[in-house]
Amino acid sequence: MLTLLLILLPLLSGFILLLTGSKNARQIALVLSLIEFGLALFALSTLKSGALETLNYNMPWIPNMGISFRLGMDGISMLMVLLSTMLMPLIVYASFNKTYNNAHTLYALMMLMQSAMIGSFVAMDGFLFYIFWEVSLIPIFFIILMWGGENRQKTTFKFFIYTLFGSLFMLVALIYLYLHTANHSFDIQALYAAGRSLPLVEQGLIMGAFFLAFAIKMPVFPFHTWQPSTYVAAPTPGVMLLGGVMSKMATYGLIRWVLPMVPDGVHEYGYLIIGLSVVSIIYASCIAIIQKDFKYLIAYASIAHMGLISAGIFAMNMQSLQGSLMEMMSHGINTVGLFFAYDIIYNRMHTSEMTKLGGIRGVESRFAFLFFIIVLSNVALPFTNGFIGEFLLILGVFQTNMVAASFAGLSIILGAVYMLRAFQKMMLGETNSLTLHFPKLEKQEIITLSIIVILIVVMGVYPKPILEITESSIQTLLQGIQ
Amino acid sequence: MKELIILSTLGVLSLIAGLLRIKRPFMVVVIAGLLLNISVCVLDWNHNENLYNMMTLDNFALAFTIVSSTLAILWFIVANAYFQNSNTFSDHYALVLFSMTGGLLMVSFTNMVMLFLGIEVLSIPLFVLAGSHKTSMRSNEAAFKYFLLGAFASAFLLFGIALLYGSTGHFDNAGIASFLGANKISGMALAGIVLMLGAMTFKVSAAPFHFWAPDVYQGSPTMITTFMATFVKTVAFAGFYRLFFLTFMPVRAEYALLFAVIAALTMLVSNLIASAQSNVKRLLAYSSISHAGFMVITLLCMNSSSAGTLLYYTLVYSISSIIAFSIFKWVKTHSAENEEISAFTGLIRRSPFLAVVMTFALLSMSGIPPLSGFMAKYMVFTAAIDNGFMWVAICGIAGSLMAVYYYFKIIIAMFAEVHESSEIKVPANLRFVLVVCSIALLALMLFPSQISSLI
């Protein structure tokens, strides 16, 4: 019931926002998203107390097609729900520095997207998962289409068709598995059983079909071409949702739907995907190094990090999976942090071209300090959350595939190159005529950045509670595979 | 029998109303009559009334009659202006109602003669209605084209029936089916089946006999196009399905591949051509053809659940078509008769209501959840894969992607910024139908099996 409530509350919030109109929309959105976060924390305490059954919800939906409204949560789902419910108020609060036209529609769409994303994290029915997966596309499509920047029509079009293309392959794979279940059911356990009974080559094909859908959403090279332009065209709240939470739907999907469903296929052909992910890391990092625009740089950095997560997932061991979940968490927070820093700079300077900026530290040192910690976390410096994730990931990948791990390790070095250079270009050096008039940070901006920084440091120093949430679930998952 | 009487009486009544010059109130009579028709159908459920071995009002027939009458009611409400603004309104009413009578024959026949009669009674009024804009070149062209090609198709149908009669000695469907089941199929019977299949493919406007549809749809008055794309398509498909289900099931293996090719070809070709259209009416015509391709899959996979799938698909498709065509009509009249996609530019500023409802319809037609169009497409894809026609499903998915391309061209235009725009007011009747249809699109997604397991 609690899980159902987690989906319904944002849905309801969306309608409330649509009805109340523009006035005070953002305050209402903030309150509602905080309530949702509270609900998620309550669910966490339920999970900790071991009452897993209370988090399950099952209602037949279309019985003659074996489809039911089956929800459930284990540690992995819980972490994702926590991530999205935690980021939502942050994203809403971060948007307080700007007044949007038709703000109530914007926040309503964000809430609807939240509902769909949480739905995809807790769905335990293949059909339901697919529905939530697709539904989440519609709000973000309209957010970018209506509030985006230049070229938004072309970009949203490409983004939508691209992601839909991948999803349809997943749909075919799901139908194929469904037809192989014992009594035609979309129940996750039935699908697992059906997938495991398939011959090796078919398992590989199913894995490929799912991976295509997820790889486009993450994105992984060579399916990433929609991403940089979409990130650049999207308004700040939209891009925070895309990079912070939506990309995690894909990596979560890999863990929930691919690994336990076709384990033999993953064992046999997983190295292909690890290889692709490593290529993705190096490719995206190298492109990030030569970027002139900070927003493009964040976009490519994001591809690099997602590549590392994907490699970790397919390495399929305790460390790599723990690392990937930890990294999903910290990448979500850091991406929101980076995009907020970008937003602060862009609102003031009306450019994000790094060579035009410089010396902001001399004008607004508080901003430089907070921004620096976010940068450090992206570089995976010890005592930041980025370090925990990347360290575990590389350790885990190393156990499975030494060559891949040694190349994946480059992500940290290359990451340091592009991130620190970006910081240096924008924040350090001579203050020029443009940055001389860099206005001081608003209170709201300092608070937002501080929350992000506190999260980064706390998670980096004391990651144990987060790792504990997922530990037993991953153990169960790995046992099921062996 | 009651259904037949109600519909034909309504047709005759409308002629009398024309003599008495009762104009405005007559709409109420028609709608009341159709509601009566629906309730009679509900009462007849499970009775399997047989009429002289010519037609049987089984649940299949009743379900399609209920659905098509519901569509007709919605259509009549939207098309109010079409009737009110014409001097010869009673002829139009009568023609539409007689055409509906033909539709009833088509969904309930158990004899080839009734099938043929049904098709003719359905089509002949449509030839007239297609040309009912007498002063418009395009409308005349549409009527002429539809009539000539329709006559051709009818001839093929008749020829097919004759060949079947020659080889089996039966006119009634059950007799033909038992003969085909008992004997080895002859070349003549097979030729008859293929001819009938061609003729029916023409009637439902599936490739490769779809060439008439874009011109006729574009040339006819928009409201008549809506009628053709929703009501006529629904009953034509029901007739098509009924013909093959009742008659040719025993020799299904002989022609199954033909259906697969028709479905795949329709889904690919029409969507490909639609992507290149800039005229919205023509684009919607091609989209209507492409949906025929998806519906053909239910004929390809004919089994116990596919009739329900067809019912669901036609209902969902028709509801979204009613929305799309009626909004198109209204936007066109408020954009200086502009039929291009550009007429929709900035609709969100001109009328947020219309833009949102149109988005619903287009998302449903492109098969994106949470609109019921997704469920409809999901059902046919599952059926295709289940019957081993993976490649047809892949063609369908490729077609759907192309469809997303052109539907989203309209959506993106609607949400584009415009500097100057005049507000569009939405009349109450249109608003009512649009609200009902949008709710139906969402509700059908939540409760699909209530429709699809009816028959």
Side-chain angles (χ1 to χ4, degrees):
Chain A
M1 205 62 212
L2 192 56
T3 320
L4 184 66
L5 210 60
L6 275 170
I7 298 175
L8 287 184
L9 183 68
L11 190 69
L12 205 68
S13 313
F15 289 118
I16 292 174
L17 282 165
L18 275 181
L19 291 178
T20 47
S22 276
K23 238 177 116 197
N24 298 330
R26 53 190 192 187
Q27 280 86 353
I28 300 173
L30 182 63
V31 171
L32 288 170
S33 56
L34 278 171
I35 298 175
E36 171 82 358
F37 181 45
L39 207 61
L41 287 177
F42 182 64
L44 176 66
S45 71
T46 323
L47 186 84
K48 287 250 171 189
S49 67
L52 266 173
E53 285 70 33
T54 50
L55 292 174
N56 291 343
Y57 179 81
N58 192 358
M59 190 185 74
W61 176 16
I62 314 169
N64 59 343
M65 291 188 234
I67 299 168
S68 50
F69 206 84
R70 192 188 308 269
L71 308 172
M73 269 207 262
D74 60 357
I76 302 170
S77 305
M78 188 70 237
L79 195 70
M80 293 295 108
V81 170
L82 271 183
L83 174 71
S84 58
T85 51
M86 181 178 73
L87 287 182
M88 199 60 179
L90 207 60
I91 294 171
V92 171
Y93 188 60
S95 70
F96 273 36
N97 59 357
K98 219 188 268 174
T99 343
Y100 291 92
N101 294 332
N102 281 324
H104 63 298
T105 322
L106 173 67
Y107 290 111
L109 286 172
M110 284 165 69
M111 293 293 154
L112 296 181
M113 193 172 162
Q114 161 97 323
S115 174
M117 287 188 300
I118 291 182
S120 71
F121 290 140
V122 298
M124 294 294 152
D125 179 285
F127 190 81
L128 198 60
F129 172 73
Y130 185 81
I131 299 267
F132 281 127
W133 170 269
E134 287 276 289
V135 168
S136 68
L137 258 182
I138 298 172
I140 189 71
F141 172 79
F142 283 106
I143 289 177
I144 306 175
L145 187 63
M146 292 169 76
W147 291 275
E150 266 175 68
N151 258 335
R152 59 179 186 270
Q153 273 130 357
K154 256 195 184 144
T155 359
T156 42
F157 204 31
K158 186 174 173 187
F159 162 63
F160 197 90
I161 297 228
Y162 218 129
T163 36
L164 190 72
F165 172 75
S167 310
L168 287 173
F169 278 89
M170 176 163 78
L171 181 64
V172 172
L174 271 172
I175 295 177
Y176 188 80
L177 284 168
Y178 159 76
L179 293 172
H180 278 80
T181 51
N183 39 11
H184 283 204
S185 152
F186 269 111
D187 176 20
I188 191 165
Q189 298 301 336
L191 289 176
Y192 283 177
R196 286 172 193 177
S197 67
L198 290 177
L200 198 58
V201 178
E202 285 186 21
Q203 285 203 14
L205 287 174
I206 297 277
M207 177 185 85
F210 270 94
F211 182 72
L212 191 62
F214 296 144
I216 289 171
K217 198 100 140 206
M218 281 194 270
V220 169
F221 172 86
F223 309 108
H224 65 282
T225 49
W226 62 269
Q227 188 247 31
S229 52
T230 309
Y231 276 23
V232 169
T236 308
V239 76
M240 285 174 172
L241 280 172
L242 263 178
V245 195
M246 205 170 178
S247 56
K248 311 302 175 294
M249 279 167 63
T251 40
Y252 167 82
L254 286 175
I255 299 178
R256 170 73 63 214
W257 295 96
V258 177
L259 295 193
M261 193 127 67
V262 284
D264 298 336
V266 177
H267 269 299
E268 189 70 21
Y269 304 107
Y271 71 93
L272 288 172
I273 292 176
I274 296 184
L276 203 61
S277 310
V278 171
V279 172
S280 185
I281 296 169
I282 297 172
Y283 171 87
S285 305
C286 291
I287 295 188
I289 292 175
I290 57 160
Q291 288 309 313
K292 293 192 175 71
D293 189 294
F294 186 47
K295 207 171 185 185
Y296 271 109
L297 186 143
I298 308 175
Y300 281 104
S302 193
I303 300 177
H305 282 110
M306 293 313 283
L308 187 58
I309 296 174
S310 151
I313 290 169
F314 279 89
M316 276 218 291
N317 56 48
M318 190 70 197
Q319 279 80 15
S320 73
L321 283 172
Q322 278 285 36
S324 62
L325 283 164
M326 187 70 198
E327 178 71 9
M328 276 148 81
M329 193 85 180
S330 39
H331 178 257
I333 295 167
N334 298 347
T335 309
V336 170
L338 283 178
F339 278 121
F340 189 56
Y342 154 83
D343 196 45
I344 290 174
I345 297 171
Y346 189 83
N347 284 346
R348 287 168 167 73
M349 305 282 105
H350 303 288
T351 177
S352 53
E353 209 168 301
M354 291 182 283
T355 43
K356 286 191 184 161
L357 303 165
I360 293 177
R361 194 181 75 123
V363 189
E364 176 56 305
S365 57
R366 290 177 303 174
F367 175 54
F369 170 71
L370 294 169
F371 183 31
F372 189 55
I373 295 178
I374 299 174
V375 165
L376 287 182
S377 174
N378 265 279
V379 180
L381 196 83
F383 297 115
T384 62
N385 57 1
F387 170 73
I388 314 284
E390 296 206 13
F391 177 74
L392 281 170
L393 273 169
I394 291 169
L395 186 70
V397 176
F398 190 81
Q399 290 169 16
T400 314
N401 193 329
M402 220 183 289
V403 184
S406 50
F407 280 105
L410 283 175
S411 96
I412 295 183
I413 301 166
L414 292 172
V417 175
Y418 57 76
M419 270 301 160
L420 293 177
R421 263 181 33 159
F423 185 80
Q424 182 195 11
K425 274 185 197 160
M426 292 190 294
M427 296 290 139
L428 310 179
E430 295 276 308
T431 310
N432 60 28
S433 57
L434 183 69
T435 53
L436 192 62
H437 305 291
F438 190 88
K440 295 277 176 204
L441 254 58
E442 305 281 327
K443 206 167 150 200
Q444 168 261 349
E445 290 167 331
I446 292 185
I447 294 174
T448 315
L449 280 176
S450 307
I451 296 173
I452 294 169
V453 164
I454 290 168
L455 283 171
I456 287 174
V457 176
V458 170
M459 278 170 64
V461 174
Y462 192 58
K464 201 169 150 247
I466 292 172
L467 294 173
E468 268 175 358
I469 296 177
T470 51
E471 198 174 1
S472 64
S473 306
I474 294 176
Q475 252 160 12
T476 332
L477 187 137
L478 286 173
Q479 274 160 10
I481 292 171
Q482 258 102 50
Chain B
M1 194 69 179
K2 300 183 231 47
E3 291 82 352
L4 207 53
I5 293 171
I6 292 173
L7 284 178
S8 34
T9 312
L10 273 179
V12 175
L13 271 182
S14 64
L15 287 176
I16 298 172
L19 288 177
L20 302 176
R21 306 215 168 275
I22 311 168
K23 203 168 184 180
R24 194 164 283 279
F26 193 69
M27 175 69 70
V28 183
V29 177
V30 172
I31 290 171
L34 289 174
L35 284 173
L36 180 69
N37 190 31
I38 292 175
S39 32
V40 167
C41 286
V42 172
L43 290 176
D44 272 351
W45 196 257
N46 279 337
H47 281 212
N48 285 331
E49 187 191 357
N50 186 333
L51 297 173
Y52 317 109
N53 283 330
M54 281 291 173
M55 49 194 275
T56 304
L57 289 165
D58 47 12
N59 286 356
F60 179 91
L62 292 174
F64 272 100
T65 311
I66 293 172
V67 163
S68 57
S69 301
T70 315
L71 293 174
I73 291 177
L74 292 172
W75 180 79
F76 270 116
I77 298 175
V78 179
N80 193 19
Y82 170 78
F83 291 107
Q84 299 302 339
N85 296 343
S86 80
N87 300 321
T88 50
F89 76 99
S90 68
D91 311 1
H92 293 179
Y93 269 122
L95 286 168
V96 171
L97 287 164
F98 287 139
S99 178
M100 289 181 64
T101 318
L104 179 61
L105 301 185
M106 278 198 77
V107 299
S108 57
F109 70 89
T110 50
N111 191 305
M112 292 296 193
V113 177
M114 288 312 269
L115 168 69
F116 185 73
L117 270 181
I119 286 198
E120 291 305 291
V121 176
L122 177 77
S123 315
I124 291 171
L126 288 176
F127 301 150
V128 183
L129 287 168
S132 60
H133 270 183
K134 269 176 261 173
T135 49
S136 150
M137 271 292 262
R138 280 194 169 279
S139 182
N140 282 307
E141 182 199 336
F144 197 60
K145 234 176 203 166
Y146 196 17
F147 171 65
L148 271 188
L149 294 172
F152 248 108
S154 298
F156 277 116
L157 185 71
L158 214 49
F159 196 24
I161 294 176
L163 286 179
L164 269 171
Y165 179 69
S167 56
T168 63
H170 287 281
F171 268 132
D172 65 308
N173 301 62
I176 297 175
S178 59
F179 184 90
L180 289 176
N183 300 288
K184 202 176 167 295
I185 186 163
S186 65
M188 193 155 89
L190 197 60
I193 294 175
V194 172
L195 281 176
M196 291 189 80
L197 190 143
M200 292 308 289
T201 309
F202 173 89
K203 292 292 175 194
V204 300
S205 71
F209 303 115
H210 64 281
F211 292 102
W212 61 275
D215 291 338
V216 173
Y217 278 28
Q218 193 184 358
S220 308
T222 306
M223 276 303 126
I224 298 305
T225 310
T226 317
F227 187 71
M228 290 197 278
T230 57
F231 179 88
V232 176
K233 200 146 211 164
T234 303
V235 293
F237 254 105
F240 197 178
Y241 187 91
R242 195 173 171 88
L243 172 67
F244 276 80
F245 186 74
L246 288 181
T247 327
F248 304 132
M249 272 302 259
V251 289
R252 203 179 140 226
E254 308 279 337
Y255 59 78
L257 194 64
L258 268 179
F259 273 127
V261 172
I262 290 174
L265 205 63
T266 311
M267 291 184 294
L268 290 176
V269 171
S270 58
N271 279 316
L272 195 64
I273 303 176
S275 321
Q277 301 302 323
S278 61
N279 181 306
V280 176
K281 203 168 172 187
R282 206 170 172 80
L283 186 150
L284 287 174
Y286 276 109
S287 126
S288 162
I289 300 173
S290 80
H291 284 283
F294 290 94
M295 294 184 230
V296 168
I297 293 181
T298 60
L299 281 110
L300 167 66
C301 309
M302 213 169 266
N303 58 28
S304 57
S305 65
S306 46
T309 307
L310 181 64
L311 182 71
Y312 186 77
Y313 202 112
T314 49
L315 179 61
V316 168
Y317 152 78
S318 302
I319 290 176
S320 8
S321 292
I322 287 183
I323 297 180
F325 275 111
S326 50
I327 291 184
F328 160 74
K329 168 109 200 307
W330 198 245
V331 169
K332 184 184 94 172
T333 32
H334 287 262
S335 316
E337 298 296 314
N338 181 1
E339 291 193 350
E340 305 290 304
I341 292 182
S342 56
F344 281 86
T345 311
L347 187 63
I348 185 76
R349 291 271 166 280
R350 304 183 66 191
S351 166
F353 173 72
L354 287 184
V356 169
V357 175
M358 186 71 175
T359 308
F360 270 30
L362 294 173
L363 285 178
S364 176
M365 289 208 244
S366 24
I368 291 170
L371 280 314
S372 45
F374 167 73
M375 189 58 99
K377 281 193 178 169
Y378 163 77
M379 285 180 186
V380 295
F381 287 158
T382 311
I385 297 175
D386 199 11
N387 283 274
F389 289 104
M390 184 61 125
W391 62 277
V392 178
I394 301 275
C395 289
I397 280 174
S400 300
L401 262 181
M402 289 188 252
V404 169
Y405 171 78
Y406 58 81
Y407 291 132
F408 272 64
K409 271 205 291 203
I410 304 180
I411 294 184
I412 287 178
M414 287 196 297
F415 285 84
E417 288 288 332
V418 277
H419 299 296
E420 270 181 86
S421 58
S422 54
E423 200 194 334
I424 299 182
K425 287 237 168 18
V426 187
N429 63 334
L430 183 60
R431 187 177 286 268
F432 169 76
V433 169
L434 293 181
V435 168
V436 169
C437 288
S438 332
I439 293 173
L441 280 185
L442 288 168
L444 284 169
M445 177 72 192
L446 286 178
F447 309 106
S449 51
Q450 270 68 0
I451 299 292
S452 68
S453 50
L454 266 183
I455 44 177

